[in-house]
Amino acid sequence: PKIDNKKVKYIGSEKFGPSTFFFSRYFDRKADSYTLFASQLDPNTGKFVKNFEACKVTDDKFGAFRNPFSTFTSIDSTKMLILTTYPTKRNENVRYGLKVVNPDMSTVWAKDIEFGEADKDFRLTDVEIDRSGNIHMIATLRMSREEKKEKDSKSRYYTNVYSYFHETGELKQYEIGFTEYIIRSIDLDVNDQDELIGMGFYSDKKIQLIDNYKGFFFIKIDPRTKEVVASNVSPFSEELIEELAG
């Protein structure tokens, strides 16, 4: 389809507030800019009511074949984060654009942030937005061999949670990588008290040709106190292992 005589590419669609939006992107080669459009759907007619320019970003390293946008909605569907992943090279620090909007696509706040980690050592794995419009991100990081030896860690990979509080501009970092274990997967969610709940699988062995899982782990972070208030692991029971292996 075309929006404002611009040929756009469909990204995805989702319910946000009372409306359903179809998202599409447009790349302007001359301006090195990407635009994210949000088209509000009328479900009774199947036609678009209005096309919003939800986000526009510029970077001279953008290319036409890579989508820089992702969207994430709060648990009460009152806030949406539009995340822009800026292109960075291996030794450059990773950068993201954060823009939070209301269901009518009006802006709550917007800011670009840069992490003190190189692209080659940083992988963003999960993003959440709470009802106040604060952003919470999980990243897998890789330490150097020297750091691994110094920390006596079983793996060079560890997991951090980052929270960006837009009212104060604070970027808070929580290191949750259990030093005695290896986190294999983690899912982060915001509950109805705006607490961060993280769950996943852990291992006690180095990464091998086949995956090895020891059990479950659980963490809870209170953004008000900015503290990890719960953190524990639960090994698989013998009964569960027998059931899964059987």
Side-chain angles (χ1 to χ4, degrees), residues 192-206:
D192 54 8
Q193 281 85 45
D194 279 345
E195 296 171 317
L196 303 179
I197 305 298
M199 293 166 285
F201 298 104
Y202 76 95
S203 171
D204 60 355
K205 295 182 180 180
K206 295 180 180 179

Side-chain angles (χ1 to χ4, degrees), residues 150-187:
E150 180 181 339
K151 292 188 176 184
D152 193 27
S153 174
K154 291 192 174 185
S155 171
R156 292 179 64 188
Y157 295 89
Y158 61 101
T159 300
N160 274 359
V161 174
Y162 298 87
S163 294
Y164 180 76
F165 300 94
H166 67 94
E167 291 184 349
T168 62
E170 179 186 6
L171 181 63
K172 173 68 176 178
Q173 175 180 326
Y174 310 88
E175 186 170 332
I176 62 166
F178 304 91
T179 56
E180 298 297 319
Y181 306 103
I182 299 170
I183 292 180
R184 286 310 187 87
S185 65
I186 180 171
D187 178 59

